[in-house]
Amino acid sequence: MFSIMLLFCTSLLSSYKAKECSTTTPLFVMLGTDAHLEVTEPVHLVQHSQFRWTFNNSVNIVRVFSDNTNRTHDNYKNRATISGDYSLLLKNLQQVDKGYYTAVFLSDVDKCLAEYSITVEDLVSAPELTVESVSNNSDLCVLTVNCSAQDSHIQSTLRYDANNCSLLEGETSKVTADGASLQIKLVNCSVSCNHRNHVSELKAVKKIQHFCPTKSASNKTTQVVIPVTVIGICLVLSIGLFLKRKFSVQRKIYFTQSRMK
């Protein structure tokens, strides 16, 4: 009796596996949007055959019969549409719609025509980027960078030296609890905090130069300030000397005129 039951279960398992697809296509869909699922080959219904789109191998979303009539599951009547080429349009996907969608042709030999693994993701939240100085002088600047979003946080240390930027140590990437990723990137001395998933990405960016006065910048300031100061002193001295000479000449003229009187 046990042998008969085992043979029966094995037969059912073999029948189930015959409906499985050799490949599954991953599909990431934004929350509240639609998904279009296509079959991999043409479908030709004959007598006593049937075509189905199923969800998680348990719910028949829509069935098409050999007389071209179809039946849609009550939960999908306003959300699922099958087209003439047997592709399926799913509308307004929510988190509960995450799972496997399989197109099956049922006849003497059942055949899987397509299978999709759908993951529904929401838009990521805006990340927060803060930069704090650790050491700061004209030759070298070391900064701590904090990148956070929702309940996740990563931190790295940056070095800025003579207009060259580099990551010294710390965590530069992390997968968040909801499957998104948080990452610190450094491009052309601009640091960014990136928060992304498969359907969206937001970032915050700051320039390292704004937090690090460099030696070259100090030299440029000195090169400008010194000439301007020298010119100003020379101008003041020239005006003073001119006024002094003018006053001396006027004084001589005054005394000369007084003596003549």
Side-chain angles (χ1 to χ4, degrees):
M1 182 66 181
F2 176 78
S3 299
I4 295 174
M5 290 297 297
L6 180 62
L7 182 61
F8 177 72
C9 291
T10 303
S11 177
L12 287 178
L13 183 60
S14 299
S15 176
Y16 172 77
K17 286 186 175 180
K19 299 179 185 179
E20 290 185 343
C21 279
S22 57
T23 59
T24 301
T25 303
L27 185 62
F28 296 90
V29 183
M30 185 182 299
L31 183 70
T33 61
D34 304 339
H36 184 253
L37 311 182
E38 297 179 339
V39 294
T40 55
E41 58 185 86
V43 178
H44 301 289
L45 292 178
V46 295
Q47 190 175 10
H48 304 304
S49 65
Q50 186 182 136
F51 175 84
R52 296 179 181 179
W53 274 103
T54 66
F55 175 58
N56 287 338
N57 292 319
S58 59
V59 178
N60 292 317
I61 300 173
V62 61
R63 290 180 290 170
V64 183
F65 304 99
S66 57
D67 60 356
N68 287 324
T69 60
N70 62 73
R71 183 177 300 171
T72 303
H73 193 282
D74 290 342
N75 294 340
Y76 290 91
K77 283 188 175 179
N78 297 320
R79 299 183 50 233
T81 304
I82 192 167
S83 62
D85 60 357
Y86 297 91
S87 60
L88 181 69
L89 177 65
L90 293 171
K91 302 176 182 179
N92 189 27
L93 268 71
Q94 303 298 312
Q95 291 294 345
V96 295
D97 296 313
K98 175 183 177 181
Y100 291 89
Y101 293 80
T102 309
V104 183
F105 176 75
L106 303 174
S107 186
D108 295 337
V109 178
D110 298 342
K111 186 177 182 180
C112 177
L113 300 182
E115 185 172 68
Y116 294 85
S117 171
I118 290 185
T119 302
V120 181
E121 295 185 335
D122 202 353
L123 292 172
V124 295
S125 60
E128 183 178 353
L129 174 64
T130 60
V131 180
E132 301 173 358
S133 175
V134 176
S135 65
N136 196 346
N137 55 60
S138 59
D139 296 317
L140 175 65
C141 184
V142 178
L143 303 168
T144 297
V145 177
N146 296 286
C147 173
S148 59
Q150 295 177 336
D151 297 329
S152 299
H153 172 265
I154 53 177
Q155 185 181 82
S156 291
T157 303
L158 301 182
R159 173 191 176 100
Y160 182 80
D161 182 14
N163 294 321
N164 294 317
C165 302
S166 59
L167 285 166
L168 291 181
E169 58 183 3
E171 193 176 18
T172 57
S173 63
K174 182 177 184 179
V175 177
T176 63
D178 59 357
S181 66
L182 202 59
Q183 187 175 28
I184 292 176
K185 288 186 176 181
L186 185 61
V187 179
N188 296 328
C189 285
S190 289
V191 62
S192 66
C193 173
N194 297 10
H195 189 204
R196 63 177 300 179
N197 58 18
H198 296 89
V199 299
S200 62
E201 178 179 11
L202 291 175
K203 63 176 65 176
V205 182
K206 292 185 179 181
K207 290 186 176 295
I208 298 301
Q209 292 92 325
H210 295 166
F211 303 90
C212 297
T214 62
K215 186 175 181 179
S216 58
S218 300
N219 290 339
K220 288 180 181 179
T221 302
T222 303
Q223 292 172 3
V224 172
V225 170
I226 292 178
V228 170
T229 303
V230 171
I231 292 173
I233 293 173
C234 292
L235 183 61
V236 171
L237 291 176
S238 298
I239 294 174
L241 183 59
F242 172 76
L243 293 175
K244 182 178 180 182
R245 289 181 178 178
K246 182 178 180 180
F247 178 75
S248 178
V249 171
Q250 290 179 345
R251 184 177 181 184
K252 288 181 180 180
I253 294 174
Y254 173 77
F255 282 114
T256 301
Q257 290 178 347
S258 298
R259 289 178 181 178
M260 291 179 62
K261 292 179 180 180

Coordinates of all heavy atoms in Angstrom, one line a residue, residues 130 132 134 143-148 152-158 167 169-174 182-184:
T130 N 25.8 64.3 5.7 CA 26.5 65.3 6.6 C 28.0 65.1 6.5 O 28.4 63.9 6.4 CB 26.0 65.2 8.1 OG1 26.3 63.9 8.6 CG2 24.5 65.4 8.2
E132 N 31.6 66.3 8.4 CA 32.2 66.9 9.6 C 33.7 66.8 9.5 O 34.3 65.8 9.0 CB 31.7 66.1 10.8 CG 30.2 66.1 11.0 CD 29.8 65.3 12.2 OE1 30.7 64.6 12.8 OE2 28.6 65.2 12.5
V134 N 37.5 66.5 10.7 CA 38.3 65.9 11.7 C 39.5 66.6 12.0 O 39.9 67.0 13.1 CB 38.6 64.4 11.3 CG1 39.5 63.7 12.4 CG2 37.3 63.6 11.1
L143 N 38.0 64.3 6.7 CA 36.6 64.6 6.9 C 35.9 63.2 7.3 O 36.3 62.2 6.7 CB 35.9 65.2 5.7 CG 36.5 66.5 5.2 CD1 35.9 66.8 3.9 CD2 36.2 67.6 6.2
T144 N 34.8 63.3 8.1 CA 33.9 62.2 8.3 C 32.6 62.4 7.6 O 32.0 63.5 7.7 CB 33.7 62.0 9.8 OG1 34.9 61.7 10.5 CG2 32.7 60.9 10.0
V145 N 32.2 61.4 6.8 CA 31.0 61.6 6.0 C 30.0 60.6 6.5 O 30.2 59.4 6.6 CB 31.3 61.2 4.5 CG1 30.0 61.3 3.7 CG2 32.3 62.2 3.9
N146 N 28.8 61.1 6.8 CA 27.7 60.3 7.3 C 26.6 60.3 6.2 O 26.1 61.3 5.8 CB 27.1 60.8 8.6 CG 28.2 60.8 9.7 OD1 28.4 59.7 10.2 ND2 28.7 61.9 10.0
C147 N 26.2 59.0 5.8 CA 25.1 58.9 4.8 C 24.0 58.0 5.5 O 24.3 56.9 6.0 CB 25.7 58.2 3.6 SG 24.5 57.7 2.4
S148 N 22.8 58.5 5.5 CA 21.7 57.8 6.2 C 20.4 58.0 5.4 O 20.2 58.9 4.7 CB 21.5 58.3 7.6 OG 21.2 59.7 7.6
S152 N 18.8 53.1 8.2 CA 20.1 52.7 7.8 C 21.1 53.8 7.8 O 20.7 55.0 7.5 CB 20.1 52.0 6.4 OG 19.2 50.9 6.4
H153 N 22.4 53.5 8.1 CA 23.4 54.5 8.2 C 24.8 53.9 7.9 O 25.1 52.8 8.3 CB 23.4 55.1 9.6 CG 24.6 56.0 9.9 ND1 25.7 55.6 10.5 CD2 24.7 57.3 9.6 CE1 26.6 56.6 10.5 NE2 26.0 57.7 10.0
I154 N 25.6 54.6 7.1 CA 26.9 54.3 6.8 C 27.8 55.5 7.0 O 27.4 56.6 6.9 CB 27.1 53.7 5.4 CG1 26.6 54.6 4.4 CG2 26.5 52.3 5.3 CD1 26.8 54.1 2.9
Q155 N 29.1 55.2 7.3 CA 30.0 56.3 7.6 C 31.4 56.0 7.0 O 31.9 54.9 7.1 CB 30.2 56.5 9.1 CG 31.1 57.7 9.5 CD 31.2 57.8 11.0 OE1 32.0 57.1 11.7 NE2 30.3 58.7 11.6
S156 N 32.0 57.0 6.4 CA 33.4 56.9 5.8 C 34.2 58.1 6.2 O 33.7 59.1 6.6 CB 33.3 56.7 4.3 OG 32.7 55.5 4.0
T157 N 35.5 57.9 6.1 CA 36.5 59.0 6.3 C 37.2 59.3 4.9 O 37.6 58.4 4.2 CB 37.6 58.5 7.3 OG1 37.0 58.1 8.5 CG2 38.6 59.7 7.5
L158 N 37.2 60.6 4.7 CA 37.8 61.1 3.4 C 39.0 61.9 3.7 O 39.2 62.6 4.7 CB 36.8 62.0 2.7 CG 35.4 61.4 2.2 CD1 34.6 62.4 1.5 CD2 35.7 60.2 1.4
L167 N 39.1 58.0 -0.4 CA 38.4 57.4 0.7 C 39.5 56.7 1.5 O 40.2 55.9 1.0 CB 37.4 56.4 0.2 CG 36.1 57.0 -0.3 CD1 35.3 55.9 -1.1 CD2 35.2 57.6 0.8
E169 N 38.8 55.1 4.9 CA 38.3 53.9 5.6 C 36.8 54.1 5.9 O 36.3 55.1 5.7 CB 39.1 53.6 6.9 CG 39.0 54.8 7.9 CD 39.8 54.6 9.1 OE1 40.5 53.5 9.2 OE2 39.8 55.4 10.0
G170 N 36.2 53.0 6.3 CA 34.8 53.0 6.7 C 34.0 52.2 5.7 O 34.4 51.6 4.8
E171 N 32.7 52.3 6.0 CA 31.7 51.5 5.2 C 31.2 52.4 4.1 O 30.7 53.5 4.3 CB 30.5 51.1 6.1 CG 29.6 50.0 5.5 CD 28.6 49.6 6.5 OE1 28.3 50.3 7.5 OE2 28.0 48.5 6.3
T172 N 31.3 51.9 2.8 CA 30.8 52.7 1.7 C 29.5 52.2 1.1 O 28.9 52.9 0.3 CB 31.9 52.7 0.6 OG1 32.2 51.3 0.2 CG2 33.2 53.4 1.1
S173 N 29.0 51.1 1.5 CA 27.7 50.6 0.9 C 27.1 49.6 1.9 O 27.7 49.0 2.8 CB 27.9 49.9 -0.4 OG 28.7 48.7 -0.2
K174 N 25.7 49.6 1.8 CA 25.0 48.7 2.7 C 23.6 48.5 2.1 O 23.0 49.3 1.5 CB 24.8 49.5 4.1 CG 24.1 48.7 5.1 CD 24.0 49.5 6.4 CE 23.4 48.7 7.5 NZ 23.3 49.5 8.8
L182 N 22.3 51.6 0.2 CA 22.8 52.9 0.6 C 24.3 53.0 0.2 O 25.0 52.0 0.6 CB 22.6 53.1 2.1 CG 22.5 54.5 2.7 CD1 21.4 55.4 2.0 CD2 22.3 54.5 4.2
Q183 N 24.7 54.0 -0.4 CA 26.1 54.0 -0.9 C 26.7 55.4 -0.9 O 26.1 56.4 -1.2 CB 26.2 53.5 -2.3 CG 27.6 53.2 -2.9 CD 27.6 52.6 -4.3 OE1 26.6 52.7 -5.0 NE2 28.6 51.9 -4.6
I184 N 28.0 55.4 -0.5 CA 28.8 56.7 -0.5 C 29.7 56.6 -1.7 O 30.5 55.6 -1.9 CB 29.6 56.8 0.8 CG1 28.7 57.1 2.0 CG2 30.6 58.0 0.7 CD1 29.5 57.2 3.3

